[in-house]
C-alpha cells in the first residue's frame, strides 16, 4: 500500500519536541479506508505479444476488445490489464476491475505513466493510487465534501500543549545569546515543530510583524502517512496526496488549501536567498518591518553618502554590486558593506536598486500599477495627490512600509541637492522603472508609461510627509 502503518494514527513518539507533541486527535477514518482499499492484481499475458511497448510489462495483452478484457479480468476486484485499442491502433487502455464493473482509462506515457494529472514511475503504482482514490471517493464522498466545515486549523488548542515549552525555549535562547536576533531565536526554537504549531507559536509572539501573506502551496508527495493540518484528516493516495507551502511548510489537502487564511509564517530555513525573494515572504521570515537589505543599505548611504555627487544616478562597478548581492544572499543581515570593503558608495546604491529590480513583485505591485498610472494622469494637483494616496492604501502592508521608508530616505537625499545635484525629479527618473513595472510585457507600454512612473516617484518624494 501507499502508506505503510509505521506509526500510530496519532503519530509516532520520538525524541524531538515536534514528535513529542501530538494534537488532540488525527481523524483516522480515511486512513482506515485506504487500508481497506483493493490491492492491484496484475493479469499476466501467457504468451509473448508482438510490438509490445518497452515501457509496459507482461500485463500488456496486445490488441483485444473491451469484452475480451472484461473476460480476462474475471470479476476480480483490483485486477487490471493493459490493451491496445482495436479502433485506434497505437492508443493504449488500462482496464481495471472496481465496484463490480470494468473501468477503462486512456493510458499515456511521457517518461512516466498517467491517466490524469498525476505521473507515476510504474503501472503498479498508478493502479494502486487509482484503487485507493476510487475506494475512498466511493465510500466517503459525503464525508470528503464536509471535511472543511469544522477545521482544526483555527483552534488555538492545537498549540496550547506546546506554547509554554516553546516560550521557555525562546527565553533560553535569548539568555544564551543576547546578540542572536529574534528571528534566529524563533527559528532555533521552532525548527522541529510542525508548521501548525509553529504558526500558533509565532502568532502569539509579541515581536512578530503581522503582515498578511498568502501561502505558496505546491503539489507535494508525502512519504509515509500524513494528515492535513487544516481539517486533520488523512491525506490519501500514493503520490501528490496534497499540497505543501514552500515558504512555511504547512501541509494540507488541495481542496482545504482554498480555505486556509492568508497567515503564512515563512520559515527561514526554507528561504534560500535574499535577492529575488518575494518582499512579504522575506520580511516575515526575518521578522522585520522591511527587507533588511533596504535598512542596511540606506543606513550605510545616509552615514557616508548623502553628499555624493550623482547619488543613485552614477553607477558602481557591476562586479562589485554583484558581490554585495552575494554577500546578502550568503550572510543576510551580517553582510559587511562598510567603507572598508566597499569605499565607493555607488556600489551600495547600485545594490539597493538591484534589490528592487529583482523583486518578483515590484514594490508598487502589478495590481496597483494601472491605478497609479491613472492617478498620475490627473491634471489637478490636489485631486492627483488624493488619488495617489488612495492607491497607496491598496498596497500590501510590507510593500507600503518599504515604500514609505524609501521615500523618507530619498527626501533626505533631495535635502542635500546642493552637494549631490539630485532633486526629486532626477530621483524619479532613476527610481520610476525600478519601483514599478507594467504587468504587460510590452516595450511600447513601458516607453509610454515612463514619464508617469517618474512623476509618481517624484510626487511621493516631494509629499512623503502628507502621503504616508
Amino acid at each position: 500500500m501507499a502508506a505503510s502503518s509505521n506509526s500510530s494514527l496519532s503519530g509516532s513518539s520520538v525524541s524531538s519536541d515536534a514528535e513529542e507533541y501530538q494534537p488532540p486527535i488525527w481523524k483516522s477514518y480515511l486512513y482506515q479506508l485506504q487500508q481497506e482499499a483493493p490491492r492491484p492484481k496484475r493479469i499476466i499475458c501467457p504468451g509473448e505479444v508482438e510490438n509490445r511497448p518497452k515501457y509496459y510489462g507482461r500485463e500488456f495483452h496486445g490488441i483485444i476488445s473491451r469484452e475480451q478484457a472484461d473476460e480476462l479480468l474475471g470479476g476480480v476486484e483490483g485486477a487490471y490489464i493493459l490493451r491496445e485499442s482495436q479502433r485506434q491502433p497505437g492508443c493504449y487502455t488500462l482496464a481495471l476491475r472496481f465496484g463490480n464493473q470494468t473501468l477503462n482509462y486512456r493510458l499515456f506515457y511521457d517518461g512516466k505513466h498517467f491517466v490524469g494529472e498525476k505521473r507515476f514511475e510504474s503501472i503498479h503504482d498508478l493502479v494502486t493510487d487509482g484503487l485507493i482514490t476510487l475506494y475512498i471517493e466511493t465510500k466517503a464522498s459525503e464525508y470528503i465534501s464536509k471535511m472543511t466545515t469544522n477545521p482544526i486549523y483555527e483552534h488555538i488548542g492545537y498549540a496550547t500543549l506546546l506554547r509554554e515549552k516553546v516560550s521557555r525555549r525562546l527565553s533560553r535562547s535569548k539568555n544564551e545569546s543576547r546578540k542572536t536576533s529574534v528571528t534566529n531565536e524563533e527559528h532555533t526554537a521552532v525548527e522541529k515543530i510542525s508548521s501548525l504549531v509553529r504558526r500558533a507559536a509565532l502568532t502569539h509572539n509579541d515581536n512578530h510583524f503581522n503582515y498578511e501573506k498568502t501561502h505558496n502551496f505546491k503539489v507535494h508527495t508525502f512519504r509515509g502517512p500524513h494528515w492535513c493540518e487544516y481539517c486533520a484528516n488523512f491525506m490519501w493516495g500514493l503520490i501528490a496526496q496534497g499540497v505543501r507551502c514552500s515558504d512555511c511548510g504547512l501541509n494540507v489537502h488541495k481542496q482545504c488549501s482554498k480555505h486556509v487564511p492568508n497567515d503564512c509564517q515563512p520559515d527561514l530555513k526554507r528561504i534560500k536567498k535574499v535577492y529575488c525573494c518575494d518582499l512579504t515572504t522575506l520580511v516575515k521570515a526575518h521578522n522585520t518591518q522591511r527587507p533588511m537589505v533596504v535598512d542596511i543599505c540606506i543606513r550605510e548611504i545616509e552615514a557616508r553618502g548623502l553628499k555624493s555627487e550623482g547619488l543613485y544616478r552614477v553607477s558602481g562597478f557591476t562586479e562589485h554590486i554583484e558581490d554585495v548581492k552575494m554577500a546578502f544572499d550568503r550572510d543576510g543581515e551580517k553582510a559587511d558593506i562598510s567603507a572598508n570593503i566597499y569605499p565607493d558608495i555607488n556600489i551600495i546604491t547600485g545594490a539597493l536598486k538591484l534589490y528592487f529590480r529583482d523583486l518578483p513583485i515590484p514594490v508598487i505591485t502589478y495590481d496597483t500599477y494601472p491605478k497609479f498610472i491613472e492617478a498620475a494622469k490627473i491634471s489637478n494637483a490636489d485631486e492627483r495627490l488624493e488619488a495617489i494616496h488612495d492607491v497607496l492604501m491598496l498596497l500590501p502592508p510590507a510593500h507600503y512600509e518599504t515604500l514609505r521608508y524609501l521615500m523618507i530616505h530619498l527626501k533626505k537625499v533631495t535635502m542635500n541637492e546642493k552637494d549631490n545635484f539630485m532633486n526629486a525629479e532626477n530621483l524619479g527618473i532613476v527610481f520610476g522603472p525600478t519601483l514599478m513595472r507594467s504587468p504587460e510585457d510590452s516595450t511600447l507600454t513601458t516607453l509610454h508609461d515612463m514619464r508617469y512612473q517618474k512623476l509618481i516617484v517624484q510626487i511621493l518624494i516631494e509629499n512623503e510627509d502628507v502621503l504616508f
Side-chain angles (χ1 to χ4, degrees):
M1 279 300 293
S4 59
S5 181
N6 54 9
S7 65
S8 67
L9 294 182
S10 58
S12 60
S13 297
V14 203
S15 57
S16 74
D17 284 344
E19 292 161 328
E20 286 173 12
Y21 169 76
Q22 298 302 334
I25 184 67
W26 289 120
K27 301 171 186 175
S28 61
Y29 176 52
L30 298 180
Y31 178 83
Q32 290 167 351
L33 287 182
Q34 173 158 313
Q35 298 294 80
E36 296 168 7
R39 270 54 170 181
K41 301 173 182 65
R42 184 171 69 145
I43 306 301
I44 294 173
C45 183
E48 270 303 318
V49 179
E50 288 186 16
N51 302 318
R52 182 182 71 191
K54 60 182 180 181
Y55 41 83
Y56 294 146
R58 294 186 62 192
E59 69 275 7
F60 182 74
H61 288 250
I63 299 177
I64 60 173
S65 66
R66 287 193 174 205
E67 291 73 22
Q68 289 172 305
D70 191 40
E71 187 176 336
L72 286 168
L73 294 173
V76 178
E77 198 78 346
Y80 71 94
I81 65 166
L82 307 184
R83 64 183 179 86
E84 187 173 357
S85 172
Q86 284 183 321
R87 287 173 289 184
Q88 293 179 288
C91 293
Y92 303 100
T93 298
L94 164 67
L96 172 65
R97 193 72 185 171
F98 178 80
N100 298 318
Q101 58 180 321
T102 299
L103 307 175
N104 291 276
Y105 297 94
R106 179 79 176 273
L107 191 58
F108 301 91
Y109 181 81
D110 62 356
K112 291 189 176 182
H113 304 278
F114 62 100
V115 296
E117 291 182 359
K118 294 184 178 184
R119 262 64 171 172
F120 297 85
E121 296 290 345
S122 69
I123 293 293
H124 183 271
D125 286 351
L126 184 153
V127 175
T128 302
D129 186 85
L131 287 169
I132 290 169
T133 301
L134 287 168
Y135 188 77
I136 288 178
E137 290 182 352
T138 300
K139 295 282 186 179
S141 59
E142 187 177 353
Y143 181 89
I144 291 170
S145 69
K146 294 178 179 178
M147 283 195 312
T148 60
T149 56
N150 186 29
I152 53 93
Y153 188 79
E154 299 300 329
H155 298 334
I156 295 301
Y158 255 75
T160 301
L161 296 178
L162 196 65
R163 190 171 302 123
E164 289 185 8
K165 184 183 293 184
V166 172
S167 299
R168 285 197 300 272
R169 294 179 67 188
L170 284 172
S171 299
R172 188 165 65 246
S173 298
K174 290 177 184 175
N175 292 333
E176 287 170 356
S177 176
R178 291 291 179 182
K179 295 180 181 180
T180 306
S181 69
V182 171
T183 303
N184 288 336
E185 289 162 3
E186 289 177 349
H187 174 55
T188 301
V190 300
E191 184 175 14
K192 294 183 178 179
I193 303 171
S194 75
S195 58
L196 185 66
V197 177
R198 181 177 175 278
R199 177 183 72 88
L202 292 179
T203 299
H204 285 77
N205 189 321
D206 293 337
N207 295 318
H208 193 79
F209 295 103
N210 290 317
Y211 291 144
E212 184 177 276
K213 181 191 176 312
T214 57
H215 290 270
N216 186 17
F217 286 121
K218 294 180 180 177
V219 175
H220 189 77
T221 294
F222 299 94
R223 304 301 178 190
H226 266 74
W227 274 257
C228 174
E229 294 177 56
Y230 182 79
C231 71
N233 280 289
F234 179 66
M235 300 168 79
W236 67 90
L238 253 196
I239 67 167
Q241 303 97 325
V243 293
R244 168 175 285 175
C245 177
S246 58
D247 293 335
C248 72
L250 183 71
N251 303 316
V252 297
H253 290 110
K254 187 176 181 181
Q255 60 266 47
C256 290
S257 67
K258 300 169 186 174
H259 301 275
V260 176
N262 296 333
D263 62 353
C264 177
Q265 305 284 6
D267 191 349
L268 259 181
K269 71 175 184 285
R270 297 179 181 275
I271 308 301
K272 304 300 182 186
K273 53 188 176 180
V274 171
Y275 278 67
C276 302
C277 177
D278 173 68
L279 193 153
T280 302
T281 300
L282 187 70
V283 298
K284 285 182 76 72
H286 285 269
N287 196 26
T288 56
Q289 283 184 287
R290 299 170 296 274
M292 41 84 168
V293 179
V294 176
D295 280 10
I296 294 171
C297 286
I298 286 178
R299 191 159 56 239
E300 192 69 23
I301 292 162
E302 291 185 354
R304 60 184 173 100
L306 285 178
K307 296 183 185 298
S308 178
E309 185 175 336
L311 190 67
Y312 286 112
R313 180 177 54 79
V314 177
S315 298
F317 286 112
T318 303
E319 294 85 354
H320 293 165
I321 291 171
E322 284 294 325
D323 284 347
V324 174
K325 173 183 175 178
M326 289 173 62
F328 277 116
D329 281 341
R330 182 183 64 246
D331 304 325
E333 60 190 15
K334 295 180 181 177
D336 186 357
I337 61 169
S338 65
N340 294 333
I341 309 296
Y342 302 104
D344 182 5
I345 198 64
N346 298 310
I347 294 170
I348 310 305
T349 60
L352 181 60
K353 289 186 292 182
L354 179 62
Y355 171 75
F356 289 129
R357 285 198 301 272
D358 278 355
L359 285 172
I361 300 174
V363 176
I364 292 177
T365 61
Y366 293 123
D367 288 344
T368 59
Y369 180 90
K371 296 180 176 68
F372 273 108
I373 297 297
E374 288 306 310
K377 293 177 181 178
I378 298 172
S379 55
N380 182 282
D382 289 339
E383 292 178 6
R384 183 172 58 209
L385 205 62
E386 186 66 31
I388 291 172
H389 178 267
D390 289 344
V391 185
L392 281 172
M393 296 298 103
L394 301 177
L395 288 173
H399 287 246
Y400 176 90
E401 171 57 26
T402 302
L403 187 62
R404 182 193 70 82
Y405 189 73
L406 178 63
M407 292 305 118
I408 292 173
H409 164 66
L410 295 181
K411 186 68 171 284
K412 292 178 184 176
V413 174
T414 64
M415 291 167 67
N416 289 271
E417 182 187 352
K418 62 181 176 59
D419 296 306
N420 61 36
F421 302 106
M422 295 300 289
N423 58 28
E425 183 177 4
N426 293 337
L427 290 168
I429 293 170
V430 172
F431 277 95
T434 301
L435 297 176
M436 52 195 305
R437 302 192 296 271
S438 171
E440 299 175 27
D441 189 16
S442 165
T443 306
L444 190 62
T445 302
T446 302
L447 290 172
H448 179 265
D449 289 351
M450 280 183 70
R451 60 183 175 137
Y452 299 116
Q453 293 173 348
K454 181 213 76 168
L455 182 59
I456 286 293
V457 175
Q458 180 182 340
I459 291 171
L460 290 174
I461 296 170
E462 292 172 342
N463 300 277
E464 57 83 17
D465 55 334
V466 176
L467 289 170
F468 293 96

